[in-house]
């Protein structure tokens, strides 16, 4: 298995998603019949942190919530409370992989993100935008009913560092980066300008 993750640019990722959905009614190999569709009959709805949550089920911070395509896959199949992969000030660690014995490829690693903190933010922003696009594309509830929950570590000194504080600020307000990515994606999904995508991710 390769030593490093290779990120897919947002525009390319959206093109892959829309092409697969149109051609085979699948996204990342997940059949459309398995997508979680919010319904008025859904008794699982609740409010957390003043946000609507369609389903209290989600995924915990881990290697699977590092990359946008994994976050989107979880969302498509019903995850609505998504704990993003833990970020920390030490974001260029040399880690033995995989850290558990497995017979095939795996994402598992110790510590935290395998991406630089700026790249982690960019993956979370891409996932946030693409989930809003898919929700619009499918004609589902106007509100995505989803919460992105941050996970940070591993000590107070690191959390107070300039790098992690930058991450907090961007997750709270990312309007410039959001608008730049929207502009980038409009050629693939022109209706993006009709979607209300909050500039507060978490």
């Amino acid at each position: 298995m390769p030593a490093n993750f290779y990120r897919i640019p947002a525009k390319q990722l959206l093109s892959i998603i829309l092409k697969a959905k149109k051609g085979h009614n699948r996204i990342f190999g997940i059949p459309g019949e398995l997508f979680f569709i919010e319904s008025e009959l859904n008794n699982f709805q609740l409010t957390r942190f003043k946000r609507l949550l369609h389903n209290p089920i989600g995924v915990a911070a881990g290697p699977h919530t590092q990359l946008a395509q994994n976050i989107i896959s979880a969302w498509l199949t019903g995850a609505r409370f998504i704990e993003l992969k833990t970020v920390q000030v030490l974001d260029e660690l040399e880690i033995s992989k995989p850290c558990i014995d497995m017979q095939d490829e795996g994402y598992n690693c110790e510590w935290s993100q395998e991406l630089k903190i700026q790249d982690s933010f960019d993956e979370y922003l891409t996932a946030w935008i693409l989930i809003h696009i898919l929700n619009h594309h499918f004609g589902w509830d106007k509100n995505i009913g989803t919460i992105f929950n941050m996970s940070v570590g591993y000590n107070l000194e690191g959390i107070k560092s300039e790098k992690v504080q930058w991450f907090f600020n961007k997750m709270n307000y990312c309007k410039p980066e959001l608008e730049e990515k929207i502009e980038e994606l409009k050629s693939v999904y022109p209706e993006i300008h009709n979607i209300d995508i909050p500039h507060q991710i978490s």
Side-chain angles (χ1 to χ4, degrees):
M1 99 185 233
N4 300 311
F5 277 168
Y6 294 94
R7 299 167 57 226
I8 302 173
K11 188 174 178 180
Q12 183 182 353
L13 190 59
L14 180 57
S15 297
I16 290 168
I17 289 170
L18 295 177
K19 185 176 180 181
K21 175 66 178 70
K22 184 178 180 181
H24 306 287
N25 193 32
R26 290 174 175 264
I27 295 176
F28 304 133
I30 304 166
E33 308 87 68
L34 297 182
F35 296 168
F36 174 83
I37 301 173
E38 172 57 19
S39 163
E40 291 179 5
L41 302 175
N42 184 358
N43 296 321
F44 298 121
Q45 280 192 6
L46 49 97
T47 302
R48 284 291 179 271
F49 312 119
K50 299 180 181 178
R51 287 192 176 182
L52 176 67
L53 192 60
H54 282 163
N55 186 5
I57 295 171
V59 285
H64 51 288
T65 57
Q66 261 187 118
L67 298 173
Q69 59 265 37
N70 294 345
I71 296 169
I72 294 164
S73 296
W75 181 82
L76 284 169
T77 53
R80 291 297 182 267
F81 192 87
I82 298 172
E83 187 182 32
L84 303 167
K85 176 65 174 165
T86 307
V87 299
Q88 64 153 326
V89 67
L90 301 174
D91 61 356
E92 294 185 76
L93 297 169
E94 291 294 326
I95 303 166
S96 297
K97 297 180 230 173
C99 68
I100 58 174
D101 184 25
M102 57 179 64
Q103 300 303 309
D104 204 342
E105 278 195 35
Y107 286 121
N108 191 277
C109 77
E110 293 291 357
W111 286 87
S112 61
Q113 79 274 17
E114 293 176 79
L115 303 171
K116 291 187 177 180
I117 206 163
Q118 294 86 354
D119 293 336
S120 291
F121 162 73
D122 192 65
E123 285 295 304
Y124 304 156
L125 175 60
T126 294
W128 183 247
I129 294 171
L130 267 53
I131 283 171
H132 280 83
I133 289 174
L134 285 171
N135 194 65
H136 179 269
H137 180 70
F138 295 139
W140 292 348
D141 191 330
K142 189 175 180 182
N143 189 320
I144 64 167
T146 302
I147 292 173
F148 274 22
N149 191 44
M150 282 188 286
S151 176
V152 296
Y154 281 91
N155 57 36
L156 183 58
E157 183 183 359
I159 290 169
K160 289 169 69 176
S161 70
E162 185 178 337
K163 190 182 286 189
V164 176
Q165 290 297 308
W166 174 90
F167 177 77
F168 282 149
N169 291 334
K170 288 300 176 187
M171 294 294 283
N172 184 53
Y173 181 82
C174 64
K175 189 174 181 181
E177 293 81 5
L178 178 70
E179 289 180 347
E180 183 180 338
K181 210 167 278 270
I182 285 172
E183 195 64 24
E184 175 191 337
L185 294 171
K186 71 178 184 182
S187 62
V188 180
Y189 197 79
E191 301 98 314
I192 194 169
H193 288 293
N194 300 326
I195 308 171
D196 180 24
I197 306 175
H199 50 66
Q200 183 187 59
I201 299 175
S202 182

